Amino acid sequence: MKQLRAVRELGLPDWCIAAGFVRNRVWDHLHGIFPPRAPVDIDVLYFDAGDVSPEREAAFERRLDGLLPGLPWQVRNQARMHVWKNVPPHRDTADSMTYWLETVTGIGVRLEADDTLTVVAPLGTDDLLNLRCRPTAYGRTRRHEYDARVEAKRWRELWPRVNFID
């Protein structure tokens, strides 16, 4: 929750903490791993088509490091992520997540002003909660990247109960 509170202080548009930070904590919980493993990074997503400069992202990372020092913050404006993937411009943060390689990573959480949580899951949460991992439609077009990612991240070893579906 402290990470969500820190990001909320930035006042980012259409934001969430997503990807491995959420996936890994859920899978650790479902595997009985407590406390959860430390995050490799904390993926903060937001959508601001008015300022797509990488410098802005770096400034947000510095602000977060000032709020919670030493954490592996990674802030990315999803309004510019389509460029390196060579896909149409994203409409919003949720749309950008549909262009990730696997369904279980395209899930984020935002802490609202009233302390309620909003889950951003354009591909649903069933795979994550039922320990299934499969490529997204985009991931199926880049199957070699999906397979390499699963292998490099050692997900089969770290979470042996996950069912990897082709």
Side-chain angles (χ1 to χ4, degrees), residues 8 13 15 19 23 26 73 83 96 102 113 120 127-128 135 139 141 144 147-148 153 157 162-164:
R8 181 176 64 184
W15 73 273
R23 180 198 59 237
V26 170
W73 297 107
V83 174
S96 74
E102 61 280 341
V120 180
D127 283 350
L128 178 68
T141 69
H144 64 287
D147 290 337
K153 300 278 187 178
E157 176 185 334
V162 173
N163 181 22
F164 291 84

Side-chain angles (χ1 to χ4, degrees), residues 44-53 57 75-81:
V44 178
L45 314 178
Y46 71 101
F47 192 90
D48 182 1
D51 184 352
V52 294
S53 69
E57 297 168 350
V75 179
R76 295 294 177 264
N77 184 353
Q78 301 304 293
R80 70 181 192 88
M81 293 294 106

